Amino acid sequence: MRKVGVAILGLGVVGGGTYKILTEHREMYQKAHGVDITVEAVLELRKERALALGVEESRIASSIAEICSNPDVDIVVEVMGGVEPAKTFVLAALNAGKSVVTSNKEMFCKYSYELEKVAKHNRVGLYYEATCVGGVPVIRALLDNLQGNVITSLVGIVNGTTNYILSKMSNSGADYGEALKEAQRLGYAEANPTADVEGYDATYKLSILSSLAFHTKIPYTKIYREGITNATPTDIAYGKQLGYCLKLLAIGKNTERGIEVRVHPTFIRTSHPLASVNDSYNAVYITGDSVEDVMLYGRGAGAAPTGSAIVGDIIYCATHVQHNYSTFENTEKANPSTKFVTNFESAYYIRLAAEDRAGVLSKITSVLGRNSISVAQIIQEESGEDGKVPIIVVTHVTHEHNITKAVQDINATSACASVVSVIRVYD
Ligand code: HSE
């Protein structure tokens, strides 16, 4: 039977999960795929972690050079996270003729153009299913199963931490700070939660997924980004009254005007399948011209789900003679011919605090009208805080620039009303 040796860089949560799956299912892979996959080496500074997992001491390498020169290692699994030293280690492995499987979304999103070039040059594989949405097989779906389609949109809940926080706020009325603390206590959010709550993690994933979906490089710097730190239980409650729930959506659209890519808190109708994706779960909703709508749902993080994606890549790599690379020209920057839409179209939820006197509502609606914004729904409460009454407006689909201008105009209406929050509505 053909032997395939694996080295794992980093035995943290995901590395440990991968090690366990590979060792526990070794016999099944032998029978099903005709390959004997063994973990030949690990690179882990905390030796006790490796020993606790059952790794033999002789297999704990002391440097990346040792792994690169080990002839029994065919595939290097990088699960360290962060850009450096991960990128240097991956480049060393590729240059040593080893295929690489990685879960490192930040490194892959920022440097796949460089890593892929080296992989191609050395005729080795570079696999990255685990970079996006953990155990949910969305990259393979885009690369293989959905290739017959023109993908027109890809909309996802691709970050479990923020989905947990927003679900908690929605279910219990907790404010953002309380929900974040709970997410940290449960181990979903990091001590420094910036990458998740400010939407960086989601932009890395959207960059990787939308480049594959639309066959053109979409650098993460082209993605409009807004995190969830301003989310309030008040807006979530008004949203519920209007039939919406709040999600951090990663939205990619391939329109006649160009590519539209954005990550921001979004109200989505409670009847939409993505609205039922709660807690730390993830899902990606893809629309293709032939397949129509497909939703892939599951665990976006964790030792075993992410390990599942990594082991899937290891088996794919071990059983394919020819490696597949990106379906687009993988450059650092976007192709100059790719048009990006920044003045995108959306419906909007606007919450205002207004003076309770005659003529205020008509002033607000006339500002909206002047900016070509048509009102779809409106709620006015009888009383509010500081003598101001809350007015909630949901607009029909309009352009982002119209809303920006209308907000400026309303805030300039001699203090008769001010805009408290603006949330895009996915329609
Ligand atoms: N921080 C990520 C999340 C983990 O919350 O979804 C998986 O990429």
Side-chain angles (χ1 to χ4, degrees):
M1 187 171 316
R2 195 158 63 83
K3 283 191 157 298
V4 174
V6 169
I8 304 178
L9 313 184
L11 282 184
V13 173
V14 177
T18 304
Y19 182 84
K20 271 182 130 173
I21 298 172
L22 279 175
T23 46
E24 284 172 14
H25 296 170
R26 182 175 167 189
E27 253 180 60
M28 183 180 83
Y29 306 145
Q30 289 174 349
K31 284 191 191 132
H33 305 289
V35 281
D36 183 23
I37 303 172
T38 53
V39 179
E40 291 295 324
V42 300
L43 188 63
E44 172 56 57
L45 290 178
R46 277 168 277 192
K47 245 187 179 178
E48 65 284 359
R49 266 188 179 174
L51 296 172
L53 276 168
V55 179
E56 288 166 34
E57 192 148 10
S58 61
R59 295 192 192 271
I60 306 175
S62 52
S63 69
I64 184 69
E66 203 180 306
I67 285 178
C68 289
S69 61
N70 183 340
D72 295 330
V73 171
D74 304 290
I75 300 171
V76 171
V77 174
E78 184 277 308
V79 278
M80 302 161 63
V83 172
E84 285 296 353
K87 183 185 159 217
T88 302
F89 289 5
V90 166
L91 283 172
L94 295 170
N95 276 319
K98 319 284 186 199
S99 288
V100 167
V101 172
T102 181
S103 63
N104 191 331
K105 64 219 147 179
E106 185 180 0
M107 174 197 71
F108 192 82
C109 164
K110 292 181 176 169
Y111 297 102
S112 71
Y113 69 94
E114 188 182 338
L115 303 178
E116 201 171 71
K117 206 165 141 193
V118 176
K120 275 183 183 171
H121 177 78
N122 291 292
R123 294 168 195 267
V124 291
L126 178 60
Y127 295 90
Y128 50 97
E129 181 68 64
T131 58
C132 297
V133 242
V136 184
V138 60
I139 288 177
R140 181 81 58 233
L142 288 169
L143 274 168
D144 291 348
N145 315 88
L146 297 173
Q147 276 298 290
N149 289 263
V150 173
I151 307 284
T152 49
S153 85
L154 179 149
V155 182
I157 293 171
V158 297
N159 182 270
T161 305
T162 48
N163 203 41
Y164 175 82
I165 293 172
L166 294 176
S167 301
K168 177 86 191 163
M169 289 175 74
S170 178
N171 295 338
S172 70
D175 67 21
Y176 169 76
E178 289 162 350
L180 170 64
K181 265 197 197 132
E182 182 66 2
Q184 284 169 324
R185 194 184 66 76
L186 293 171
Y188 294 135
E190 311 260 345
N192 177 356
T194 309
D196 290 319
V197 299
E198 294 294 359
Y200 291 100
D201 176 85
T203 59
Y204 300 150
K205 292 169 181 166
L206 183 59
S207 159
I208 297 169
L209 295 177
S210 56
S211 299
L212 287 172
F214 307 140
H215 303 294
T216 191
K217 178 72 179 209
I218 300 178
Y220 77 102
T221 46
K222 289 280 184 192
I223 299 174
Y224 173 84
R225 178 190 54 78
E226 205 179 291
I228 63 158
T229 52
N230 292 326
T232 66
T234 309
D235 288 317
I236 291 175
Y238 281 125
K240 267 190 194 169
Q241 261 188 59
L242 293 158
Y244 297 113
C245 74
L246 190 65
K247 297 288 180 194
L248 182 74
L249 290 191
I251 300 174
K253 288 186 182 175
N254 186 8
T255 73
E256 279 178 5
R257 295 201 299 141
I259 303 276
E260 202 180 296
V261 270
R262 45 197 169 101
V263 166
H264 50 68
T266 315
F267 274 130
I268 187 160
R269 277 189 201 288
T270 45
S271 55
H272 192 287
L274 283 171
S276 59
V277 178
N278 286 315
D279 301 324
S280 63
Y281 278 88
N282 283 192
V284 182
Y285 193 90
I286 300 170
T287 307
D289 64 343
S290 306
V291 71
E292 299 183 7
D293 298 330
V294 171
M295 185 163 105
L296 300 162
Y297 166 88
R299 286 253 177 233
T306 312
S308 156
I310 290 170
V311 173
D313 272 353
I314 293 172
I315 294 172
Y316 190 96
C317 180
T319 53
H320 285 73
V321 182
Q322 188 138 1
H323 299 293
N324 288 335
Y325 304 104
S326 299
T327 52
F328 53 90
E329 202 189 341
N330 196 353
T331 43
E332 181 180 7
K333 299 205 167 107
N335 188 313
S337 69
T338 304
K339 283 198 191 109
F340 287 90
V341 179
T342 50
N343 187 17
F344 48 80
E345 290 183 337
S346 175
Y348 292 79
Y349 158 105
I350 305 170
R351 173 157 64 98
L352 303 112
E355 299 281 343
D356 195 8
R357 58 182 158 82
V360 170
L361 192 56
S362 83
K363 261 194 184 162
I364 293 168
T365 50
S366 80
V367 170
L368 296 176
R370 262 205 324 271
N371 286 286
S372 316
I373 298 165
S374 157
V375 173
Q377 294 187 73
I378 196 157
I379 303 177
Q380 178 173 352
E381 296 283 4
E382 275 186 47
S383 58
E385 286 170 12
D386 307 327
K388 300 270 173 88
V389 290
I391 296 178
I392 287 85
V393 174
V394 179
T395 74
H396 283 297
V397 170
T398 184
H399 284 108
E400 177 87 358
H401 291 180
N402 293 346
I403 291 291
T404 313
K405 178 72 176 39
V407 169
Q408 278 169 8
D409 292 353
I410 290 170
N411 286 338
T413 51
S414 1
C416 79
S418 59
V419 174
V420 183
S421 40
V422 177
I423 298 173
R424 294 166 191 89
V425 177
Y426 186 78
D427 239 358

